[in-house]
Each structure stands twice: as C-alpha cells, then as structure tokens.
Amino acid sequence: MTDIVANIILIDDDSVRAAASVELLQSLGHSVRVIQDPFGVNEPLDYGSEVDLLVCETSLTQFSWEAAKDAILDLDIHVPAIMLADEAEAQVILTALRLGVSDFFVRPILDVNALNASIERCVKRRRIRQELSDSKRALEHTNTELRAAVTVLEQDQQAGRQVQLRMLPNSPLTVGGYEFRHSMYPSLFLSGDFVEYITVGDHHVVFFMADVSGHGSSSAFATVLLKNLFARKRSDFIRRNDHTLLDLGAMLEHANKELLDLAVGKYATMIVGLLNIKENTLAYSVAGHLPQPILKTPLGADYLVGEGAPVGLMEHARYCVHEVQLPSEFMLIMFSDGVLELIDGEDLIAKESNLRSVIDSSRGDYRAVLEDLGVAQAREIPDDIAALFITRAANNG
C-alpha cells in the first residue's frame, strides 16, 4: 500500500490489458478509472483538476500518439502522465518524451515498487504545483484588493490634504503694516505641521506653529484639534469677552490637556506668539520646539530664547512667556524641525548654527530665505517642513 492515494485515469482501449493495469494500480492503493479515447476525458486537466495522474497505453487501436502529438500539446494539460508499453521502442520513447510524460514503463512491470514510487513522485509534484497555483491566485486576489484599498487610501489622503490646505490661514495677510506669510512642504499627502495666525481685537494677532509627532493622517488630525482650540478661544473672546486667547501659557496648557485627552500617543512641539501691533511688542512661548524662532533685523539674525515641554506629554506642564520689544524693521522666522534635515552639520548644535548663519547672510524677503536654505528647490523632503514669516518694513514705523 501507499501513503498517497492517487486519483488516476487509465487510457487504454484493450479491455483485457486495461483490467490487468487496473488490478495492479488498485493493489497499490490508488483509485483508477478507465477511458478508451484520449480525447474522451470530460473534465478539465488543469491545476485545479481532481485527477492526479494519467496512465497512458502507447499501443491504442484507434489512436496514434505520434499523429496527435501537436493537438495534445495545444491542450491546457497540467496533470502528469506515465506511459506503459510492451516494448521499449526508440520512436515510442521519443514520442513520449515530446509529449512531456513523467515516466515510462515496459511490461511486464517487474519492479512494482518503482512504479509506485514514480506515481507518488508525480502526485507530490503535481500537488505542490497545485498549491503554488492556488497561492498565486490567492496572492493575485490579495494584490487586487490591496491595490483597490491603496487607491481609496490615496483618494482619502488627497481629499484630506485639500481640507488641510483650506484650514491654513490666508497667505499673505497684512495687518497694520505687519505681513504674515507661511509655506508648507509635506513629506506625505498629509502633514503633522501646521501654522495659524488670527487677529484678536483691534491691536493683537495671535499665531502659532505646531509640529505633531509622527506623520500621516493621525498627526494631521491632531493639527485639526489645535486649530479648533484656538478658533474656540477666539470665539470666546468675541462673544464672552474671555481673554484666555491672549494668555499664551494658558493656551499651551489647554493644548497640552486636549492632546492628552485625545489618548492617541501624539504630542506636539509648538511656538505660540502674541503680536501687539499698537506697541510693536512680541510675547511668545516655546513648547519644546526646535529650531527656536529667529529674529532677523538690519543688525543681524539671532535666536529668541525659550524652552518648555512639548504639549501632550506631561499632565502638569507649565510654560514660560517671554516678551520682546521689536525694532521698527524686522523679519520673525519660524521653521518646523524638518528644515534641519536640509542643513549641513554634524549635530543639532551645528545645524542650528548654520541655519542662523544662512538666514543672517540672506539678503531679501522670505523667498530669498527659502531659496538660500534649499527648501524651495528641494526635490525630496525627508520630513514635513512648515515656515512662518512675520515681517515689518522700516517705512511702517
């Protein structure tokens, strides 16, 4: 007996000879069905066929394997075959080889174990090919579903990108001689970087830059939460005379609480500022953001000091607010940390120093700064880059 039970079709039009072959094959434990005409197989012989093996008699009364060779080769047959013959004639063996048979046996078959081993070998190979074919079809189906899912995801991402762009403030915005501009360079469709600037009353503009941890949709959604926070507080200022929006430390504490309550493992570095256009003063607070703001004046460019924990990390974080009297002519420049990926330097300190030097030596408006830093012409952005520029020209003094 055999460990493998093969489902065999025996092709033989001699009933006596076929009966002997059936007896032999069944004695080895296989299931055998006889047909007389090779073209009389009424079931598919492809990879999914239930037939494991064809055992073919070479000497058929009404059929010539040699004459039908081309027609047989045109058929989509993926079931192995073994040929049986009364004599080992060269032409018969050559025809069998051209037909692609797996083995050839001459009667009387003295080594039954060799025949059974050949049958088992054919069945194993066929079942392996069948499994590979099934795996291929499953993989193709999975790939089709994956491509469809990716297409939907890309459409969602593109739609989300358009929504996020429409959430950004107008650029430029001019308020009392101060010009606000922003530029966004996402590494993916959606960005975890965001900027906002909003007028508050007659003499103030509140602005912030946020860099949410990670990339993609979840980070972009966190920027929506931050924008919504500032929009709500502006509405409270207008409708309820609530001045929380002018308290930068309190705003960062609110942002910290909302990100913690979101509970998605996201935190954000932020720069929050309050510009008093009547007094030409700046109040600002830094929540773990690098690089820090750079103030560029006719005398040079330098970082504004400030430090603090990112929002969304520590429950009881507190934030320090700094105040600066601004000169009559200046450009306040803020970048997200993605810009440091484009700056030469062995470490963070060197990169920050080189960033300040490039801005210090840049002669021109915000466009010149972006070009000198290589942001505007960068073909590949390894990380999201957000830029915010607040400018006041001398003739506005």
Side-chain angles (χ1 to χ4, degrees), residues 46-48 130-144:
D46 56 12
Y47 285 120
Q130 187 176 26
E131 290 174 0
L132 291 174
S133 178
D134 292 343
S135 298
K136 181 181 178 182
R137 283 195 298 270
L139 182 60
E140 289 174 347
H141 178 70
T142 301
N143 285 339
T144 299

Side-chain angles (χ1 to χ4, degrees), residues 24-25 28 82 84 105 109 111-119:
L24 173 60
L25 294 171
L28 295 174
I82 291 176
L84 302 180
F105 287 87
I109 300 174
D111 191 347
V112 176
N113 290 330
L115 173 62
N116 195 51
S118 180
I119 293 172

Side-chain angles (χ1 to χ4, degrees), residues 86-125:
D86 292 323
E87 296 180 3
E89 296 179 1
Q91 185 61 42
V92 173
I93 295 174
L94 183 59
T95 300
L97 292 174
R98 288 174 176 172
L99 288 171
V101 301
S102 300
D103 213 338
F104 190 96
F105 287 87
V106 179
R107 272 188 300 270
I109 300 174
L110 302 178
D111 191 347
V112 176
N113 290 330
L115 173 62
N116 195 51
S118 180
I119 293 172
E120 290 187 348
R121 187 164 53 250
C122 289
V123 173
K124 286 181 180 178
R125 289 175 179 173

Side-chain angles (χ1 to χ4, degrees), residues 160-173:
R161 174 62 179 156
Q162 293 304 312
V163 171
Q164 192 174 35
L165 288 174
R166 284 168 171 75
M167 288 171 51
L168 292 167
N170 292 333
S171 182
L173 172 68

Side-chain angles (χ1 to χ4, degrees), residues 185-202:
Y185 303 88
S187 58
L188 301 173
F189 285 112
L190 296 174
S191 175
D193 292 355
F194 198 78
V195 298
E196 176 70 299
Y197 37 81
I198 50 179
T199 57
V200 184
D202 296 329

Side-chain angles (χ1 to χ4, degrees), residues 64-71:
S64 170
W65 292 105
E66 176 62 29
K69 174 170 56 61
D70 292 338

